[in-house]
Amino acid sequence: SNAPTTNSPFVLATDQWQEEFNQINNVVAGSTYQSSYSLGGYITVRVGTYNGTVIASGNSPLNWTATVSGTYFIHYNTNSSCGTDFINGTSTLTCTSCVAAISNDLVCGATPITCGGSVNGTTVGATNSGTGENQTCGISQTQPGVWYVVTGNGQIMTASLCGTAYRDWE
């Protein structure tokens, strides 16, 4: 699996035994994560290879920080002595330093607002993923942003914005 990029728990496996490990690719140095296992137990996180340097270990849930970017291996056992059990549990990984996904981050997912309405918003955590929509809206997004749409009534409208910019598409 690839490392999660939002702060929502990402299910690695629903049939994880307490003797197995998960390989996590594209982990970002300095990011913080929480590894959890539904049956509790002991978790060991290694960097580089399945038997690489241990960067964190402890009871589930385990909070850890990526020391370098790359591949990590998360091992599950019943205890710190590498005890095993053949009961299936669910393993999850959460990026605790990542920003929550923004619902109107995509151009085609613009949040509707009413004429005369007021909206507080932020671009913190926004991406330029609008280009990933295969340009179904006819827009090529090159900068991070959040999107709003208002339906016109044939009259002239004015948008008042604080510290930001907007683009008028017809």
Side-chain angles (χ1 to χ4, degrees):
S1 298
N2 287 321
T5 56
T6 67
N7 63 2
S8 298
F10 178 74
V11 174
L12 298 171
T14 57
D15 60 350
Q16 189 84 55
W17 289 4
Q18 287 180 306
E19 70 162 7
E20 298 178 323
F21 64 85
N22 295 117
Q23 178 177 329
I24 310 301
N25 301 310
N26 301 313
V27 174
V28 177
S31 294
T32 57
Y33 297 91
Q34 182 177 78
S35 296
S36 296
Y37 185 67
S38 62
L39 300 177
Y42 198 81
I43 297 174
T44 304
V45 180
R46 295 176 179 268
V47 62
T49 63
Y50 76 93
N51 60 351
T53 302
V54 174
I55 61 126
S57 60
N59 292 321
S60 177
L62 176 66
N63 294 310
W64 55 278
T65 301
T67 55
V68 296
S69 294
T71 302
Y72 284 71
F73 294 81
I74 304 171
H75 297 256
Y76 306 91
N77 293 98
T78 58
N79 55 46
S80 62
S81 299
C82 297
T84 62
D85 198 351
F86 301 106
I87 299 172
N88 292 348
T90 300
S91 57
T92 60
L93 181 63
T94 303
C95 179
T96 56
S97 62
C98 295
V99 178
I102 298 174
S103 61
N104 61 335
D105 189 30
L106 300 176
V107 175
C108 294
T111 299
I113 58 175
T114 59
C115 187
S118 178
V119 173
N120 290 324
T122 180
T123 57
V124 173
T127 68
N128 63 345
S129 59
T131 57
E133 297 177 75
N134 297 320
Q135 306 211 17
T136 56
C137 296
I139 305 302
S140 177
Q141 181 180 343
T142 59
Q143 296 295 316
V146 292
W147 301 92
Y148 301 91
V149 62
V150 61
T151 302
N153 60 8
Q155 302 296 311
I156 294 175
M157 286 193 227
T158 302
S160 298
L161 305 168
C162 178
T164 189
Y166 72 97
R167 181 169 175 184
D168 179 22
W169 289 290
E170 296 182 17

